[in-house]
Amino acid sequence: MYWKEELECMPVAERRKLQLARLQAQVKRVYETVPYYQRRLRERGIDPTRIKSLDDLAYLPFTTKDDLRQTYPFGLFARPMSDIVRLHASSGTTGKPTVVGYTQQDIETWADLMARALVCAGVGPDDIIQNAYGYGLFTGGLGIHYGAEKLGATVVPISAGNTKRQVMLMQDFGVTVLSCTPSYALHLAEVMQENGIDASHLRLRIGIFGAEPWSVSMAHEIEHKLNLMALDIYGLSEIMGPGVAMECPYKNGLHIFDDHFLPEIINPEMGEQLKPGEEGELVITTLTKEGIPLIRYRTRDVAVLYDDPCPCGRTHVRISRILGRTDDMLIIRGVNVFPSQIEHVLLEMGQTEPHYLLVVDRKGPLDCLEVWVEVSERLFADEVRRLEELEQAIRREIESTLGIAVKVRLVEPKTIERSQGKAKRVVDRREVYERERR
Ligand code: DLL
C-alpha cells in the first residue's frame, strides 16, 4: 500500500523538521555553488544562516522560467557537467527550451519518487505498465519508466503514437496499467471502439494520466470508456518531471511529495503566501535536487493546497487538480506551447501581417491547433497556388519549432479582431479546466 511508509506517513511535525534541515542545506548549497543565486541572495542581503524556520522561506527570491532562459543552457546547474548524467528539456517562452540536468543521485531520487507515486495509485510489482508517454527530451517517458522498474513492475516502453499497435499489445500482453496523457487515453478508447474491442475484456485497471490539464468529467469519461480508475499525476521538468504529486484512489487531491518538494501557494500579483484552501500560483522549492536545485520556482500553475488528513494515511499536503495557468502557456497533446514561439516564427518569416490568432479545439479526443494569420490585400488577391505555398511554408516552420502538427489558415486583412488593450491571441474551445472544487 505504501512505498516507504515511514516517509509517506511521517507525523507532520517531524516532516517539518526534515524540511527545515533540507531547506537550510539546499540554500547553503546554491549560495556556494550557483553564482546566479549567490548574487540574487546577496542583493537581498540574505546569507544562508538566516534561514531559521520554514517561515523564512518567504524572504527568499523567486525563480522563474525567465531566470532559466537568461542562464540558458546550464547556468543554474549546481554541479559540474562531469556529475550530470542526463539532460531533459521542455518548451521555453521563445525558441530556446528550458534545460534541466540530473546527477546520478537525482535519477535515483526521481525513480524512487515515481515508484512512490505508482504505489500511491495502487500499482504493484505484478502489474504490467504500458508507458505511452513520449520517450526523449520530454520527462514523461523516462520518468515513469525508471519508477516502474524500481517498483519491480513490468514496463512496456512503447512511447507515444502508433495507436493500433498500442491496442494490440495491450490485449496480447494483458496490460493492467496505462500511463499517457488523458487526451491520448481517450484517443486509444476511440480506436478500440472503432476496431470492435470491448475495454471490459482487457485487464486494464489503473490509468496514470497527466502532463496536461484535464477535468473531472474527462476523468469519468475515460474511466467509463477504458474500464479503469483514472488518476491524476502532476509534475514539471524544472522540478523533476512526473512524480512531483500523485492522486490516490480516494481522489482527494494530489499528494505532493513534500519531503523533497516544498510547496507554497502565492498570490500571483503580489507574491505573498496564501493559506491552505486559498487558490493561487503553485511555487515549489526543491529540497534534495543536486543537478539544478531551484528556490521558490514559480510554476505558473494555479492550484489550492489542502493540509487536512487523507484517509489513505499519507501525511503529505495535497494540491487540487491544476485549475489554470497564470501565463499564456497552452498544452496541446501534452506539448507545452507558448503563443510567443509562433509569433516568433511568423515575424521571422516576415511574409504575413503581424496579426494572428491561435484557435485550439478538441476534434474527437485529440487537441488541434489552427493558426490564423492575416496576409496583405495584395497577397490575398494573388493566385491560390501562391497562398497555398505560403500556408505550407508557415506550417512546416511552425511544426518544426513546436514538434506538433498544426493547421495554418491565411485570412483576409482585418479578419482578426483588433483589441484596445491586451491582444487576444488565443481562442481555446477545449474544456480543460474546471472551476469546481474536489
Ligand atoms: O509534463 C511532466 C509530466 C509528465 C507530468 C508526465 C505528468 C506526467 P513539462 O513538459 O515540463 O513536464 O510540463 C509541465 O505541464 O507546469 C503543468 O502546466 C502541466 N501539467 C503537468 N501535469 C499536469 C496535470 C511534464 N496533472 C507543465 N494537470 C506543468 C494539469 C499538468 N497540468
Side-chain angles (χ1 to χ4, degrees):
M1 191 190 179
Y2 303 110
W3 175 242
K4 287 193 179 144
E5 185 172 352
E6 68 287 5
L7 294 170
E8 293 163 72
C9 303
M10 188 180 248
V12 172
E14 211 176 299
R15 183 173 300 108
R16 286 180 71 84
K17 275 192 211 151
L18 176 70
Q19 288 171 330
L20 177 61
R22 287 183 167 177
L23 177 68
Q24 288 168 326
Q26 185 81 310
V27 174
K28 183 164 180 287
R29 221 168 16 240
V30 298
Y31 189 83
E32 287 167 359
T33 54
V34 185
Y36 192 78
Y37 273 123
Q38 188 176 83
R39 187 160 46 77
R40 297 283 303 279
L41 290 169
R42 278 197 178 145
E43 275 164 14
R44 293 184 156 225
I46 299 168
D47 105 53
T49 56
R50 164 90 180 264
I51 309 294
K52 301 272 190 250
S53 80
L54 287 177
D55 293 339
D56 293 334
L57 187 62
Y59 298 119
L60 296 174
F62 292 117
T63 308
T64 62
K65 213 167 175 97
D66 201 44
D67 294 318
L68 286 161
R69 193 161 62 83
Q70 281 178 29
T71 54
Y72 175 85
F74 308 141
L76 287 185
F77 286 15
R79 285 295 186 84
M81 285 312 276
S82 54
D83 289 352
I84 301 292
V85 299
R86 197 191 306 164
L87 298 174
H88 278 286
S90 78
S91 275
T93 44
T94 62
K96 297 285 187 201
T98 299
V99 184
V100 287
Y102 302 74
T103 63
Q104 192 62 55
Q105 180 58 49
D106 288 334
I107 296 287
E108 267 154 39
T109 309
W110 187 11
D112 199 64
L113 290 179
M114 252 324 301
R116 185 193 284 188
L118 290 170
V119 174
C120 177
V123 180
D126 293 335
D127 278 299
I128 302 180
I129 305 179
Q130 181 144 329
N131 187 19
Y133 284 111
Y135 281 64
L137 283 178
F138 175 57
T139 51
L142 285 169
I144 305 263
H145 184 103
Y146 274 57
E149 282 188 350
K150 178 128 200 185
L151 166 60
T154 309
V155 54
V156 184
I158 193 157
S159 197
N162 209 340
T163 311
K164 278 198 176 152
R165 190 149 153 264
Q166 300 253 3
V167 174
M168 179 183 82
L169 296 187
M170 219 180 263
Q171 288 177 296
D172 296 352
F173 293 175
V175 167
T176 54
V177 177
L178 172 65
S179 54
C180 61
T181 57
S183 52
Y184 193 60
L186 275 178
H187 183 55
L188 272 165
E190 196 180 57
V191 171
M192 277 164 54
Q193 202 186 11
E194 281 165 11
N195 288 278
I197 295 159
D198 184 347
S200 64
H201 296 154
L202 299 182
R203 291 187 59 214
L204 282 180
R205 56 185 204 95
I206 298 171
I208 310 284
F209 303 131
E212 66 184 8
W214 57 311
S215 58
V216 174
S217 42
M218 190 162 162
H220 289 156
E221 198 179 326
I222 300 175
E223 293 190 327
H224 175 69
K225 290 191 165 155
L226 284 179
N227 192 35
L228 46 65
M229 182 184 271
L231 295 170
D232 196 356
I233 182 165
Y234 171 79
L236 61 166
S237 12
E238 293 89 323
I239 296 304
M240 184 177 79
V244 172
M246 182 75 221
E247 192 173 35
C248 72
Y250 287 96
K251 298 191 174 183
N252 245 329
L254 287 70
H255 295 275
I256 179 157
F257 298 146
D258 55 358
D259 41 344
H260 294 268
F261 312 113
L262 193 56
E264 302 168 73
I265 295 289
I266 64 159
N267 169 350
E269 266 100 57
M270 308 306 288
E272 80 274 15
Q273 279 179 351
L274 300 177
K275 292 194 197 54
E278 292 180 335
E279 177 177 323
E281 182 181 339
L282 175 65
V283 170
I284 300 177
T285 299
T286 66
L287 294 176
T288 50
K289 268 269 280 293
E290 295 183 342
I292 176 166
L294 293 179
I295 304 289
R296 304 191 85 198
Y297 184 69
R298 293 189 60 159
T299 65
R300 302 279 171 192
D301 290 316
V302 176
V304 178
L305 278 188
Y306 303 114
D307 61 359
D308 54 324
C310 176
C312 79
R314 288 176 183 79
T315 52
H316 303 295
V317 295
R318 303 187 306 286
I319 51 169
S320 61
R321 292 182 100 76
I322 300 302
L323 304 170
R325 298 257 324 156
T326 65
D327 65 7
D328 56 356
M329 186 176 91
L330 295 162
I331 306 186
I332 296 172
R333 272 171 265 142
V335 176
N336 302 351
V337 171
F338 286 94
S340 54
Q341 291 176 291
I342 295 169
E343 180 172 302
H344 190 71
V345 170
L346 296 175
L347 295 178
E348 287 273 288
M349 291 187 67
Q351 296 182 57
T352 55
E353 299 294 305
H355 301 290
Y356 66 92
L357 185 71
L358 310 183
V359 182
V360 193
D361 209 342
R362 186 161 274 154
K363 296 258 161 65
L366 286 185
D367 301 332
C368 55
L369 169 62
E370 217 173 82
V371 179
W372 295 17
V373 54
E374 286 185 11
V375 290
S376 65
E377 204 86 62
R378 195 179 45 75
L379 194 66
F380 202 77
D382 213 335
E383 282 175 62
V384 175
R385 192 175 51 83
R386 265 204 64 196
L387 284 175
E388 279 174 359
E389 275 168 11
L390 179 59
E391 230 166 48
Q392 297 308 330
I394 296 176
R395 181 181 56 77
R396 276 195 301 273
E397 214 38 52
I398 296 179
E399 289 185 346
S400 85
T401 302
L402 302 181
I404 53 166
V406 300
K407 230 178 127 186
V408 172
R409 193 202 271 193
L410 298 182
V411 295
E412 272 183 82
K414 308 271 172 349
T415 310
I416 295 168
E417 200 186 322
R418 304 293 189 259
S419 79
Q420 300 296 317
K422 233 167 144 49
K424 188 171 168 55
R425 300 288 194 203
V426 179
V427 175
D428 197 340
R429 299 192 179 129
R430 303 169 297 175
E431 275 182 22
V432 284
Y433 297 118
E434 256 167 343
R435 306 317 293 171
E436 76 196 40
R437 298 289 164 264
R438 324 176 250 165

